[in-house]
């Protein structure tokens, strides 16, 4: 099966007064049809930067994006701006972080929907109101919501409206950037269940960005783990949930508890992420890694597949030596 989205050697540099700042370095991954790929990493790791680079949302005068981003065999980084604009929303949609706060407080929800129809006249149905009601039903909202203003709705309702807006043209691919941030646990569970239902009913491919392993383990099929602008491990969720190979991935797994785990003390990862303004000569995780050797401080590790099928890969010099030391924690 050919990937719907194929990202190769994506690098994003911000133009700073003291020189370029590399936020994302040589990121490569694919998303296949009818698949949810989780994108995990702590704040500042570059997840949202990757999402915005895919859709060319960065201002060109302040950001340099290189690499190859192919969606259905079209390179989104080189296609003309108007052609890309036509693909946005109709073929690739995005639910951005805190999108529930992006609604115009002076316009009703129906006016928000109609604005999108006006922007895409070739897609506009004869009866917009009926279609708007159908879209609300997809996210379990009543038609009466159309006459409401954003401030009259809860945060969870506004977030579901953002998802409904993204689903207007049934795009085959969607980017969701932390769509449940700032929502309480019950609302989050409801929205995640709605996302799963929409994905299955509409055969969506989703790149789901989050910092919460608890969420992604229940939602995604494959997992990308990002640290300091690089993908340090990728593989099927079941494999990484059972046993992660990179020390950073291990640290993420130990940082939260599950009822499926033995009773152990929750541990954080000591230290801080590296400053993106600084040049990195070795492994970016080395200053925080309990297994780091001299080579780790001077030579950047390459990404290696650990299986013949090339489904599970890791960026670490000593993953073979570390594995026997961490097998005790592979209990899920």
């Amino acid at each position: 099966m050919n990937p719907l989205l194929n990202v190769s050697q994506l690098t994003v540099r911000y133009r700073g007064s003291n020189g370029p700042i590399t936020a994302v370095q040589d990121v490569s991954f694919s998303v296949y049809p009818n698949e949810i790929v989780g994108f995990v990493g702590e704040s500042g790791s570059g997840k949202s930067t990757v999402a915005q680079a895919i859709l060319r949302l960065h201002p060109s005068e302040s950001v340099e994006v290189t690499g190859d981003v192919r969606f259905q065999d079209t390179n989104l980084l080189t296609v003309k701006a108007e052609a890309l604009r036509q693909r946005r929303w109709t073929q690739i949609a995005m639910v951005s972080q805190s999108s529930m706060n992006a609604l115009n407080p002076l316009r009703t929800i129906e006016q928000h929907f109609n604005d999108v129809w006006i922007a895409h006249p070739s897609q506009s149905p004869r009866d917009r109101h009926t279609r708007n009601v159908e879209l609300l039903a997809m996210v379990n909202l009543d038609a009466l919501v159309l006459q409401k203003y954003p401030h009259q709705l809860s945060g969870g309702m506004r977030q579901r409206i953002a998802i409904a807006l993204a689903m207007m043209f049934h795009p085959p691919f969607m980017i969701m950037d932390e769509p449940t941030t700032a929502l309480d646990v019950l609302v989050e569970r409801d929205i995640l269940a709605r996302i799963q239902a929409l994905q299955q009913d509409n055969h969506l491919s989703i790149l789901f960005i989050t910092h919460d392993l608890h969420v992604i383990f229940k939602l995604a099929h494959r997992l990308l783990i990002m640290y300091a602008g690089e993908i340090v491990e990728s593989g099927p969720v079941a494999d990484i949930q059972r046993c992660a190979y990179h020390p950073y991935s291990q640290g993420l797994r130990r940082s939260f508890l599950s009822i499926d785990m033995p009773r152990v003390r929750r541990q954080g990862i000591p230290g801080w992420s590296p400053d993106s303004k600084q040049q990195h000569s070795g492994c970016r995780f080395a200053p925080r890694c309990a297994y780091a050797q001299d080579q780790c401080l001077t030579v950047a590790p390459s990404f290696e597949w650990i299986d013949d099928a090339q489904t599970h890969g890791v960026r670490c010099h000593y993953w073979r030596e570390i594995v026997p030391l961490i097998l005790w924690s592979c209990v899920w």
Side-chain angles (χ1 to χ4, degrees), residues 29-256:
F29 64 91
S30 298
V31 180
Y32 288 85
N34 199 28
E35 179 185 43
I36 300 178
V37 174
F39 211 174
V40 177
E42 58 193 283
S43 297
S45 61
K47 307 182 302 297
S48 296
T49 298
V50 170
Q52 292 167 13
I54 290 173
L55 287 172
R56 274 168 50 187
L57 298 179
H58 294 111
S60 58
E61 64 274 9
S62 59
V63 179
E64 177 189 3
V65 181
T66 60
D68 192 85
V69 178
R70 294 198 173 270
F71 178 78
Q72 296 178 334
D73 295 327
T74 298
N75 190 347
L76 300 182
L77 299 186
T78 58
V79 70
K80 292 183 178 180
E82 179 58 26
L84 178 61
R85 193 186 73 82
Q86 293 299 323
R87 284 180 177 267
R88 292 182 185 139
W89 223 308
T90 59
Q91 297 182 3
I92 307 176
M94 183 172 180
V95 179
S96 59
Q97 192 172 6
S98 299
S99 58
M100 64 182 178
N101 297 322
L103 300 176
N104 188 333
L106 302 179
R107 300 181 69 78
T108 66
I109 300 306
E110 183 145 41
Q111 287 174 322
H112 281 84
F113 279 88
N114 290 339
D115 286 345
V116 180
W117 293 123
I118 293 170
H120 296 82
S122 64
Q123 304 285 336
S124 185
R126 291 184 178 179
D127 188 347
R128 293 176 182 172
H129 178 78
T130 299
R131 177 59 180 151
N132 293 342
V133 172
E134 292 174 352
L135 287 165
L136 287 184
M138 290 175 64
V139 292
N140 285 350
L141 289 177
D142 191 88
L144 294 176
V145 170
L146 288 172
Q147 308 310 317
K148 301 287 187 180
Y149 288 87
H151 72 274
Q152 296 175 302
L153 306 175
S154 68
M157 294 172 74
R158 295 199 303 270
Q159 190 64 63
R160 280 186 277 176
I161 287 167
I163 295 172
L165 285 166
M167 288 293 300
M168 288 187 77
F169 306 121
H170 293 293
F173 180 66
M174 186 177 296
I175 298 173
M176 292 189 167
D177 189 356
E178 304 206 33
T180 58
T181 298
L183 300 177
D184 65 60
V185 175
L186 293 178
V187 175
E188 177 186 65
R189 184 177 63 180
D190 179 63
I191 288 180
L192 291 175
R194 188 89 307 250
I195 291 172
Q196 281 185 308
L198 289 172
Q199 189 268 333
Q200 294 170 3
D201 294 343
N202 297 275
H203 306 290
L204 276 173
S205 296
I206 299 176
L207 181 64
F208 193 99
I209 299 171
T210 183
H211 61 270
D212 192 340
L213 280 179
H214 176 73
V215 167
I216 213 63
F217 278 167
K218 294 184 176 181
L219 186 69
H221 304 110
R222 283 192 300 119
L223 185 59
L224 308 171
I225 298 179
M226 196 167 190
Y227 180 78
E230 296 180 328
I231 292 179
V232 297
E233 186 162 3
S234 71
V237 165
D239 290 354
I240 295 178
Q241 186 177 15
R242 182 174 60 252
C243 189
Y245 285 81
H246 195 279
Y248 177 65
S249 307
Q250 280 285 317
L252 288 180
R253 289 175 69 252
R254 289 193 298 267
S255 66
F256 87 101

